[in-house]
Amino acid sequence: MKIFNKNDKMSSLVTSNYNLLPVINRFGIRLGFKEKTIGELCREQEVNADFFLAIVNTYNDENYFPEAELLSFSPLLLIDYLKNTHNYYIGYVLPKIERLLNQVLVSCGNDCASLKMIGSFYQKYKHELLLHLQLEDEKVFPYIIDLYKNRQLRNDQTSIQVFENEHTNVEEKLTDLKNLIIKYLEPGYNHNDMNEFLFALAQFEKDLYDHARIEDNILVVQVEKLEQELTQQGSR
Ligand SMILES: [Fe+2]
Ligand SMILES: [Fe+2]
């Protein structure tokens, strides 16, 4: 798969993989790219082009994960990006999935038992996911920002490890939901609507997987390193 660089046209990024469009939008870059390159548009929008490329290439090719490069970026830059992603999930993806689910539920004829089961599984899943995002937005990210700005460990023995243990595997639950539909759903609904719902789940699953990969393999690793440094300096 192609690895994009600063001299590639921004338009070629989208035409080669339309799923990258929401990822690009998270950086504040919108359609209407003209003939501009990735480097030019990033400069215009005051986006760090190397960081932008590391993220879009990670999303574009699941075998590409520039761990060393990603580790070199400021965690504050990462958090900014991760927060934008959370807002995208909460404000757009979840309402869209829910709308599609309701559309299928409305189309159901007589026997809706398995469909209703999928509906309640989804509601439970959504609840857990929102709690997870909330924990990161309200506890984990502020902890990290504070640690980087003040370079001081907290007196209450809090460490990223405490949060990492609470990092539920939300993406695995989504895979379960998808498999439940594919393997056990009883007929009796509008299949086009159901397919649309399933496609939206699959796209979200991929996005969440890459999101969690960046959190676990980059952000947590960076924070653990800083905590170790601060412990050695005896900052607590
Ligand atoms: Fe997150
Ligand atoms: Fe997470």
Side-chain angles (χ1 to χ4, degrees):
M1 190 135 349
K2 178 171 168 53
I3 302 299
F4 291 93
N5 65 58
K6 284 178 204 173
N7 299 322
D8 287 314
K9 296 260 173 73
M10 189 68 86
S11 57
S12 71
L13 198 63
V14 177
T15 48
S16 77
N17 183 354
Y18 284 90
N19 291 326
L20 288 177
L21 196 49
V23 180
I24 296 171
N25 291 159
R26 275 170 226 163
F27 286 89
I29 298 174
R30 307 270 187 266
L31 289 172
F33 307 135
K34 306 196 178 71
E35 296 301 321
K36 290 174 186 167
T37 64
I38 292 173
E40 284 168 334
L41 272 165
C42 283
R43 229 181 355 263
E44 270 179 25
Q45 296 294 320
E46 294 179 12
V47 168
N48 179 323
D50 294 314
F51 181 61
F52 175 87
L53 282 164
I55 297 286
V56 290
N57 282 320
T58 297
Y59 274 81
N60 189 43
D61 181 353
E62 59 186 52
N63 297 316
Y64 181 81
F65 194 57
E67 212 158 320
E69 206 190 334
L70 279 167
L71 281 167
S72 72
F73 297 113
S74 160
L76 304 180
L77 201 63
L78 275 171
I79 287 176
D80 229 30
Y81 170 76
L82 294 169
K83 268 188 181 170
N84 282 344
T85 312
H86 286 187
N87 291 340
Y88 170 72
Y89 293 161
I90 297 167
Y92 175 70
V93 179
L94 291 175
K96 176 185 142 183
I97 289 179
E98 195 137 344
R99 217 169 40 241
L100 293 171
L101 174 65
N102 286 335
Q103 208 170 299
V104 190
L105 283 166
V106 167
S107 77
C108 179
N110 296 327
D111 184 16
C112 308
S114 71
L115 202 54
K116 280 187 179 150
M117 188 180 76
I118 281 159
S120 67
F121 191 106
Y122 172 76
Q123 290 303 335
K124 271 195 219 117
Y125 167 74
K126 188 182 89 175
H127 180 70
E128 268 182 50
L129 176 68
L130 287 173
L131 284 178
H132 175 78
L133 299 177
Q134 196 182 8
L135 175 82
E136 288 179 342
D137 282 335
E138 292 177 9
K139 297 263 180 349
V140 184
F141 295 161
Y143 166 73
I144 299 171
I145 293 169
D146 189 56
L147 196 68
Y148 272 82
K149 288 199 168 150
N150 298 319
R151 304 194 71 81
Q152 184 95 35
L153 292 167
R154 285 219 315 231
N155 291 326
D156 60 4
Q157 306 296 317
T158 300
S159 73
I160 194 70
Q161 206 62 44
V162 174
F163 297 122
E164 202 194 7
N165 288 339
E166 290 177 37
H167 198 232
T168 47
N169 285 320
V170 278
E171 63 277 13
E172 273 177 28
K173 287 249 166 63
L174 187 53
T175 311
D176 289 345
L177 174 60
K178 226 184 54 186
N179 287 334
L180 197 67
I181 297 170
I182 296 170
K183 294 183 184 169
Y184 302 106
L185 184 66
E186 303 287 341
Y189 51 85
N190 181 309
H191 61 269
N192 288 326
D193 290 341
M194 181 43 104
N195 291 353
E196 223 181 310
F197 174 61
L198 192 59
F199 294 157
L201 285 183
Q203 199 178 359
F204 187 38
E205 181 190 28
K206 155 92 175 95
D207 209 302
L208 261 187
Y209 173 78
D210 285 326
H211 181 82
R213 198 157 63 131
I214 290 168
E215 285 175 346
D216 290 339
N217 299 351
I218 305 299
L219 191 63
V220 170
V221 174
Q222 283 180 325
V223 178
E224 277 174 345
K225 215 170 130 235
L226 179 63
E227 284 173 344
Q228 270 168 20
E229 278 170 32
L230 293 173
T231 305
Q232 277 160 11
Q233 290 167 16
S235 89
R236 177 129 49 204

